Amino acid sequence: MNSHYHALFQRGKIGNVELKNRIFKPAAEDSCSGDGFVPDYLWQFYAEEAKGGAGLIICGLYIATTMEKSGLDRHPVLTDDTKVPGFSMIAQAIKDNGAKACCQLGHLGSHGDPSVPGEHRCVSYGPLEIPGAEEWFTIFNNAYWHMKPPYPYKEYTIDEIHQLVSDYGDAALRAKKAGFDMVEVHAGHRHGLGCFLSPLTNWRNDEYGGSVEKRARVLYEIIDNIQQKCGKNFPIIVRLNGRDGGGALHYQDGIKKGQQIEDTIQIAKHLEKQGVAALNISIQDTVIPMQHISYGIAVDGASQVRKAVNIPVLTAGSVQVPEFGEKVIENGDADFVGTARQMYADPAWPKKAMRGLRDDIKPCIRCMECANPERHSWNGPLVCTVNPAVGKPGMEIKPAKVKRNVAVVGGGPAGMEAARVLSLRGHKVTLFEKRKLGRMLYEAATPDFKQDIRKLIKYYDRQMNKLAIDCRHKEATIDDLRDYDAIVVATGSNPVKVPVPGSDGDNVYSAVGLLADCFVKKTGLPDIGEHVTIIGGGSVGVETAIWLAQQGKKPTVIEMRDKVLAGEMHITLAEDLGLIKKYGIDILTNRKLKSIQKDSVTITDADGKDQVLDSDSVVMAAGLRANDSLKDQLDRELDAEIYPVGDCEGPRKIYDAIHEGYQAALEI
């Protein structure tokens, strides 16, 4: 055992089930099903997660009620016996690889897909006055119907609530028959049961609404029903919000609203008396743990609950590194710590931590691409920016049959990932990079709210050293590359220049250059004045504006399209718009830059009308253009195999760069 993490790797128990350590993998958006059945790849995914060394794997969310189907959210369902064989494959795969298996049961309620078309159900009708709510509903395409007043659906009748209770018991019995060691009942995160518990969404005036005891009645009845059908020795975990989510979901006009920690503690004490084996304390914000959120956002709630009960308490939510998990357990804030997305990034992080290989843990950068509907979420197998193999059997790194001499040109994420995988496969690798390894990862990591990317830079730097890759700090020429069997071209992209009068002035900067000065060259922010005009409302422009606003500047973003952050996924969009609002950043859309003066800029609107804005300086963030000149030259002059990857094929995200670098390295 690694003495640095003694608390993390001590044994523990949940009910009568002993776990080999205090690490669990919480349920998240792991699975996608078109028909409610478990897809073939899923048991293999969980096998890999279990193989990594966690003591407990919690799978889910799996639909427990016959009133809902897999539907839009694509969750597998456990509502009839035909589904049991697939779940049995999952449970067996987890246990065969050294972990205990837990099946999370839940339902989505008003944002679920009803079994009978049009028969959507909500907990109750009632106003929900959340400042700015309509803006959020637009962002999320009304995905959270239960938050939008007035409710468009029918309330659960008493008979339907009784059916819900019975359905959970039946689903738990199926999970037990499938071989799971325990079940978790999900009663948080604004899902179906969570909406019963929260006064923000439960306005019922019958026996299932009103006081905390009445709002939690359905949960208590579900626990009783599971115990009746599975026996009281079959462990049950209940996942609860420590409180409702942050911001307007927690406070209105300075007054606490929604489910509070006092409510959760009252519910927790009742559940303990019922014989529940453990409590998993969460918070709504764990659903979208973006980079600007602190580690362990649910730990405070878990700590308060743990002081009030005598059963184990679990917690998850940006428990990204073993040091933090160790501290949580050492301090007595929780008995078990979990992280889903870090285990997507590196399923083996528990084993690596235990064996003293901390520096080999590939870090999650909390970019949330794993929840991007265009990448995965409701459309297919799980994805991860930094781990292209997650959820994809057959994508593992295997030794090459023929060892080759390979050059990698460019030391950004695409090039370093290619070099890493090529070296692991046994090839001889030479990496050319004229500046620091990491390239534009440095600029991307400059704002403190993007500091998770700094961990990725350090990880790759350590791997290049550990694998003894020949890194040559120079710009590769065609002559440097003539003797290689294969060449991976990862030359990246360059900022686009906006050729208008005044664009070459001393008061004009590129966003990339400005960020590089602060984080790479360490020269600090130049004297750009107070009023800064940023040209371009994509992610680079908006994040630069937020970064400058945090330093006391007053940025204005100019975007030629009708909205900023076009094409960004809903989670990133919501978070960035929230920060724009927080810092009072001015956004002007449907405008084009016409000219730059010493102390102003002139912009033109869609009707051709000019507008002059006071401006001390201008920051160009009008996009990036592929740096493909070397690729084209290699194609013309050399017979070697050429593999272009990353931004040299077109500027995109870190996700695309790492995945293309990984795939190219597997092909060579």
Side-chain angles (χ1 to χ4, degrees):
M1 178 183 294
N2 188 312
S3 59
H4 293 297
Y5 308 118
H6 176 75
L8 205 57
F9 290 100
Q10 62 184 331
R11 294 184 181 275
K13 292 189 76 172
I14 293 178
N16 55 9
V17 178
E18 184 175 85
L19 307 182
K20 64 184 178 183
N21 58 45
R22 301 304 182 96
I23 302 169
F24 73 97
K25 189 270 176 204
E29 287 289 348
D30 301 333
S31 52
C32 177
S33 172
D35 54 8
F37 285 87
V38 170
D40 290 340
Y41 74 85
L42 193 54
W43 69 266
Q44 298 176 72
F45 161 74
Y46 282 122
E48 194 66 24
E49 296 288 297
K51 194 184 301 180
L56 176 68
I57 305 293
I58 305 178
C59 312
L61 183 153
Y62 300 136
I63 302 299
T65 175
T66 55
M67 288 183 279
E68 292 182 17
K69 60 184 180 180
S70 181
L72 296 175
D73 279 20
R74 304 290 181 112
H75 295 281
V77 303
L78 196 46
T79 52
D80 65 77
D81 291 344
T82 64
K83 309 298 191 302
V84 172
F87 284 91
S88 181
M89 292 282 285
I90 291 176
Q92 195 63 45
I94 291 170
K95 294 194 289 187
D96 283 349
N97 286 281
K100 301 299 182 183
C102 177
C103 180
Q104 186 190 79
L105 304 175
H107 75 288
L108 302 177
S110 50
H111 61 288
D113 203 4
S115 298
V116 178
E119 290 291 312
H120 293 81
R121 291 168 178 80
C122 61
V123 173
S124 64
Y125 289 98
L128 180 57
E129 297 176 0
I130 299 178
E134 288 300 324
E135 180 181 356
W136 279 76
F137 299 135
T138 301
I139 293 168
F140 282 90
N141 288 323
N142 295 332
Y144 289 90
W145 284 107
H146 58 288
M147 291 172 58
K148 184 175 182 178
Y151 291 117
Y153 306 141
K154 59 176 287 191
E155 292 181 352
Y156 288 101
T157 66
I158 297 296
D159 286 344
E160 287 170 342
I161 292 174
H162 292 166
Q163 179 186 337
L164 199 63
V165 169
S166 182
D167 284 347
Y168 269 85
D170 292 342
L173 182 57
R174 292 187 185 99
K176 183 180 181 181
K177 290 178 178 178
F180 284 93
D181 298 294
M182 61 190 77
V183 294
E184 178 177 79
V185 176
H186 198 334
H189 293 189
R190 293 243 181 265
H191 295 324
L193 293 181
C195 288
F196 273 95
L197 298 184
S198 175
L200 286 176
T201 46
N202 187 342
W203 290 67
R204 300 178 73 97
N205 56 12
D206 57 15
E207 60 265 45
Y208 292 99
S211 66
V212 176
E213 192 70 18
K214 287 184 176 181
R215 296 199 308 271
R217 179 173 178 170
V218 63
L219 174 59
Y220 302 154
E221 290 179 352
I222 284 171
I223 300 304
D224 284 339
N225 197 271
I226 292 174
Q227 290 175 335
Q228 289 168 19
K229 292 172 178 174
C230 297
K232 292 200 173 184
N233 288 327
F234 186 60
I236 303 170
I237 304 172
V238 177
R239 191 168 199 183
L240 296 169
N241 287 344
R243 60 170 174 80
D244 281 323
L249 292 177
H250 187 44
Y251 290 96
Q252 293 178 29
D253 300 324
I255 301 172
K256 287 184 178 181
K257 301 285 186 179
Q259 182 179 330
Q260 303 301 318
I261 188 62
E262 296 81 8
D263 302 337
T264 303
I265 289 172
Q266 182 178 334
I267 295 167
K269 288 180 176 180
H270 191 290
L271 292 169
E272 181 181 18
K273 290 178 182 178
Q274 281 189 278
V276 163
L279 300 164
N280 186 356
I281 303 303
S282 188
I283 188 173
Q284 174 67 20
D285 296 344
T286 63
V287 177
I288 47 173
M290 298 291 288
Q291 294 175 2
H292 73 276
I293 295 175
S294 300
Y295 283 173
I297 57 176
V299 168
D300 179 64
S303 180
Q304 294 187 61
V305 171
R306 191 175 186 272
K307 293 172 184 175
V309 299
N310 295 304
I311 54 177
V313 171
L314 298 76
T315 191
S318 286
V319 181
Q320 299 297 102
V321 295
E323 293 83 2
F324 187 83
E326 177 79 3
K327 181 180 177 182
V328 169
I329 296 171
E330 267 191 345
N331 291 348
D333 293 322
D335 299 283
F336 298 88
V337 292
T339 173
R341 290 173 175 86
Q342 177 53 54
M343 286 190 64
Y344 297 163
D346 191 341
W349 86 261
K351 278 188 178 177
K352 290 178 179 178
M354 182 176 65
R355 295 172 179 174
L357 301 174
R358 170 66 179 82
D359 289 347
D360 287 340
I361 297 174
K362 201 170 194 180
C364 166
I365 59 173
R366 296 193 290 176
C367 62
M368 295 305 296
E369 287 295 331
C370 55
N372 186 347
E374 294 184 7
R375 304 272 195 205
H376 152 62
S377 197
W378 306 296
N379 295 312
L382 180 69
V383 299
C384 172
T385 287
V386 303
N387 182 7
V390 70
K392 299 176 183 64
M395 287 280 286
E396 300 86 0
I397 299 172
K398 298 176 182 178
K401 294 180 180 179
V402 178
K403 308 300 189 288
R404 309 181 74 190
N405 187 19
V406 185
V408 177
V409 184
M416 288 193 291
E417 179 68 4
R420 182 186 76 90
V421 176
L422 285 164
S423 181
L424 290 173
R425 296 191 65 218
H427 295 299
K428 181 182 178 182
V429 183
T430 304
L431 175 61
F432 293 89
E433 173 52 57
K434 65 180 179 180
R435 54 177 286 192
K436 292 181 70 172
L437 292 179
R439 293 178 65 91
M440 283 193 186
L441 284 179
Y442 283 97
E443 286 85 343
T446 299
D448 284 342
F449 58 89
K450 300 292 288 295
Q451 61 183 296
D452 283 15
I453 296 174
R454 300 174 195 175
K455 295 188 299 180
L456 186 63
I457 297 171
K458 291 179 180 178
Y459 165 81
Y460 275 124
D461 191 56
R462 289 191 296 261
Q463 295 306 302
M464 298 302 103
N465 289 324
K466 181 177 180 178
L467 296 170
I469 291 171
D470 181 7
C471 296
R472 301 183 184 180
H473 291 281
K474 62 167 294 187
E475 183 172 357
T477 67
I478 192 86
D479 290 332
D480 293 322
L481 303 172
R482 293 189 185 278
D483 296 329
Y484 291 94
D485 303 316
I487 303 167
V488 177
V489 182
T491 46
S493 57
N494 298 316
V496 171
K497 296 181 179 180
V498 182
V500 299
S503 62
D504 57 352
D506 293 339
N507 61 333
V508 180
Y509 305 84
S510 76
V512 170
L514 206 61
L515 294 164
D517 285 345
C518 288
F519 196 66
V520 182
K521 298 178 183 177
K522 307 294 185 184
T523 56
L525 192 65
D527 184 12
I528 60 174
E530 182 180 14
H531 295 277
V532 183
T533 303
I534 296 176
I535 308 302
S539 60
V540 174
V542 168
E543 289 175 1
T544 301
I546 294 168
W547 172 62
L548 291 172
Q550 289 175 332
Q551 299 177 76
K553 307 301 180 183
K554 295 181 179 179
T556 298
V557 176
I558 308 299
E559 170 56 46
M560 63 187 298
R561 290 174 288 190
D562 59 358
K563 60 181 179 181
V564 295
L565 297 168
E568 284 295 315
M569 68 168 169
H570 60 288
I571 294 174
T572 307
L573 177 62
E575 294 302 315
D576 284 348
L577 289 179
L579 291 172
I580 287 170
K581 188 173 183 179
K582 176 181 178 179
Y583 291 107
I585 297 170
D586 290 330
I587 303 291
L588 298 177
T589 57
N590 293 311
R591 310 295 211 284
K592 289 184 179 180
L593 178 65
K594 185 175 183 179
S595 63
I596 301 171
Q597 294 72 241
K598 184 176 181 180
D599 55 5
S600 66
V601 297
T602 302
I603 58 175
T604 304
D605 65 18
D607 297 324
K609 184 178 179 181
D610 289 349
Q611 179 182 0
V612 177
L613 303 176
D614 291 339
S615 180
D616 297 315
S617 58
V618 175
V619 176
M620 295 291 186
L624 300 167
R625 181 174 290 115
N627 182 11
D628 54 7
S629 58
L630 178 63
K631 178 193 72 172
D632 292 343
Q633 185 181 13
L634 292 172
D635 283 338
R636 291 193 304 269
E637 298 186 28
L638 296 187
D639 291 330
E641 296 176 13
I642 310 298
Y643 296 85
V645 297
D647 277 11
C648 78
E649 285 284 90
R652 286 154 296 155
K653 294 185 176 182
I654 297 174
Y655 175 101
D656 304 288
I658 291 177
H659 280 239
E660 290 175 13
Y662 186 95
Q663 184 62 50
L666 292 188
E667 291 179 23
I668 294 173

